[in-house]
Amino acid sequence: MGNLMQILRHRPPHYFTLMLLGTLISGIGLTGCGSDHERNAPSEQSQHTTEVSQEVSQEASQQANGTASGAQTNTEGPDVAMSDTFIQDLVTRSYPYVALYNVNNKFAAKQGGWNTCSADTQLKDHTTREIARPNNDTLYISCLLDLRTEPVILKIPAFDSDYASLMITAYDHYVNVPLSTRAGDFKKPLTLLLYSARTKNYDGAPVEGVDKVFEASGDFVSAVFRVMPHSQDKDRFGKILEQMKSVTPAPLNTFLGKPAIPAEPMNFPAVGETDVAVFGDNLFEVMQFVFNHTTFDPDNPEDQSVLTLYKHFGIAPGNTFDPDKVANVDKIRIRDVAERIQKKGLASSADDALMARIQPKMFQPKGQTDLETLLTVSIFGPIGLPMEEAVYPSITTADGKPMNAMHDYVLRMSVDELPPAGAFWSLTLYDLKDGFFIPNERKKYSVGQNAGMKLDDDGGITIYIAKDKPDGVPEENWLPIERKDLDLSLTMRIYVPDLKKYANWTAPKVERIDQ
């Protein structure tokens, strides 16, 4: 397809460090992925790296006020024109941090601050704007935790649900899933202590009454539970809601019955209405804050590459943000590059081969994913589950054209073509650009066991995406749209997939209905 994401998949991760340092290191592979031979095979990767630099740089140079795309970066100060390649590198490596800063801080503000937990009582609807492509098939318990002053303990009940998981994510966008029904968890209550490398008033010693300890990679983290609500079973649904409400956070001293230690006040940089807005408004302030509250591994090349980039601006862990050092930086150029990378990343969702290739690396801990995958998921839909817990195949059209609300569509699966889900599956409709639900009076955004679905007589299913419900189609299987020029996207979620069957399963295609 010639778009950015197709090219990026061949890019060696140290390319950006090479551009800055001028070192003659071979194109080594992406963190935690591939053999030593793969990590040191530069030829094809180098070719595609050059292509992506040329593609983005040529576009950017048209707005660069005469700056040559091949200009060398002057590391003595940021008041000089930066090369287009440097800006591309800056945006690419910063995007995962920006996306998670926006997501975590927006949710903390929405639910009343840090060290709070908020449990859903109903599935998310179109008013959810804090994150792209939210679920409409599980309930969330969202805990936003400040680990600076002392550890925080979560009291977690048993869940009467066929599926539940806990996902922990800091600003670095790496995903850890310490608890899941797939692994046999949530059968009995437990307590979980969370801390970071900078947490004060904790020496790592065991704490009486704490069942499990987890070290987070940042001081400000989201601990998000997904719980299958069994919403079609009213009694079970009500029981699960009560269990979810019992999840509570407690600072260590409070947990031990001692006076709580007051947390130091914190001035957070402003979040952006979108991630691209951050790149244009306050990228450097946000990244200085992120650096001060994130654990970086001195032996991790991805960590060291992003730190190297920001030394150019006097931004490093432990520093105080100095706006004078970035006063002359052309933030409009940075925003423009971020917007182009975002658009190309969204377009890549239709690249089935790309999505299948990066699926095993999506939503993984540090060392088990790579920059390309982090960038892709940061653009398309942040903080999901690894494929052992869930897979997220994008559903594309049979004719290869983008879905648009000016047309109606149908998706058909026979009983043999249904997703190989060990727990359950769903199909959710979004607008492509922002990843939000399509507003409608019925508040119907997905088809599945929890949002509602009805199988055909032969055990398969037929789902319509249409302005009006076709005659004879069950209400449960109709996803409404408004007739306007709006690009659409469909995401399928398959929970606890049978990975052997999934390897040979083909995602269904959507067919356009002639008007």
Side-chain angles (χ1 to χ4, degrees), residues 293-315:
H293 297 286
T294 299
T295 302
F296 292 95
D297 184 348
D299 297 322
N300 183 281
E302 305 296 351
D303 282 4
Q304 295 311 303
S305 293
V306 73
L307 293 177
T308 298
L309 278 170
Y310 276 93
K311 286 181 181 179
H312 180 76
F313 307 100
I315 293 173

Side-chain angles (χ1 to χ4, degrees), residues 1 37 54 62 73-74 89 92 102 120 122 137 163 185-186 191 207 229 239 290 355 376 426 429 491 509 513:
M1 294 176 61
H37 173 74
Q54 291 173 346
Q62 297 174 3
T73 300
N74 184 340
D89 299 348
T92 299
N102 247 358
D120 287 343
Q122 59 185 8
D137 55 11
Y163 182 79
D185 299 311
F186 300 114
T191 53
V207 176
K239 185 177 181 180
V290 166
M355 290 301 168
T376 303
S426 68
L429 179 66
T491 295
K509 296 289 184 179
I513 302 173

Side-chain angles (χ1 to χ4, degrees), residues 148 171 196 198 218-220 266 285-296 307 315-321:
R148 293 173 301 146
Y171 292 146
S196 79
R198 289 157 300 282
D219 302 337
F220 297 96
M266 178 57 66
E285 184 183 9
V286 166
M287 292 302 291
Q288 179 62 72
F289 185 91
V290 166
F291 281 9
N292 288 344
H293 297 286
T294 299
T295 302
F296 292 95
L307 293 177
I315 293 173
N319 286 1
T320 299
F321 175 64

Side-chain angles (χ1 to χ4, degrees), residues 15-279:
Y15 171 74
F16 306 116
T17 306
L18 299 179
M19 296 301 297
L20 290 171
L21 302 180
T23 55
L24 297 176
I25 303 174
S26 296
I28 68 176
L30 299 167
T31 305
C33 299
S35 66
D36 289 341
H37 173 74
E38 291 168 331
R39 286 195 294 270
N40 289 282
S43 56
E44 182 180 1
Q45 292 179 336
S46 298
Q47 177 183 351
H48 285 278
T49 296
T50 301
E51 292 174 4
V52 72
S53 297
Q54 291 173 346
E55 180 177 348
V56 177
S57 294
Q58 286 170 1
E59 294 180 12
S61 62
Q62 297 174 3
Q63 303 180 29
N65 297 322
T67 301
S69 63
Q72 296 298 311
T73 300
N74 184 340
T75 57
E76 295 180 358
D79 58 337
V80 296
M82 296 180 293
S83 72
D84 297 328
T85 299
F86 182 96
I87 295 177
Q88 178 202 337
D89 299 348
L90 189 77
V91 171
T92 299
R93 290 199 175 273
S94 303
Y95 214 114
Y97 297 93
V98 169
L100 261 293
Y101 180 83
N102 247 358
V103 167
N104 283 0
N105 283 56
K106 284 181 179 180
F107 273 110
K110 180 178 182 179
Q111 64 189 47
W114 296 88
N115 289 342
T116 61
C117 290
S118 176
D120 287 343
T121 58
Q122 59 185 8
L123 298 174
K124 298 290 189 186
D125 62 22
H126 65 267
T127 62
T128 301
R129 297 271 167 156
E130 291 80 16
I131 188 171
R133 292 169 182 79
N135 290 16
N136 184 245
D137 55 11
T138 67
L139 297 180
Y140 290 100
I141 310 167
S142 176
C143 298
L144 280 300
L145 308 177
D146 176 357
L147 307 178
R148 293 173 301 146
T149 305
E150 55 180 326
V152 175
I153 290 90
L154 292 178
K155 297 180 180 179
I156 304 170
F159 287 120
D160 181 28
S161 174
D162 289 351
Y163 182 79
S165 63
L166 170 62
M167 175 188 71
I168 298 175
T169 315
Y171 292 146
D172 54 17
H173 207 166
Y174 295 109
V175 174
N176 293 273
V177 181
L179 298 172
S180 171
T181 50
R182 181 187 64 84
D185 299 311
F186 300 114
K187 293 181 179 179
K188 60 182 181 180
L190 63 78
T191 53
L192 173 68
L193 182 148
L194 293 95
Y195 74 103
S196 79
R198 289 157 300 282
T199 300
K200 301 176 182 177
N201 303 296
Y202 179 62
D203 59 6
V207 176
E208 185 176 355
V210 168
D211 301 306
K212 191 178 182 70
V213 175
F214 180 85
E215 180 178 355
S217 58
D219 302 337
F220 297 96
V221 303
S222 58
V224 177
F225 298 80
R226 290 175 175 82
V227 184
M228 180 181 177
H230 298 272
S231 54
Q232 306 306 307
D233 182 338
K234 291 185 178 180
D235 291 339
R236 195 173 184 184
F237 178 75
K239 185 177 181 180
I240 291 171
L241 289 186
E242 291 304 312
Q243 292 166 345
M244 292 177 61
K245 292 176 184 177
S246 71
V247 175
T248 55
L252 177 59
N253 268 23
T254 301
F255 178 79
L256 296 175
K258 301 177 182 179
I261 303 173
E264 296 178 9
M266 178 57 66
N267 292 322
F268 292 90
V271 297
E273 182 178 356
T274 64
D275 298 335
V276 169
V278 172
F279 281 100

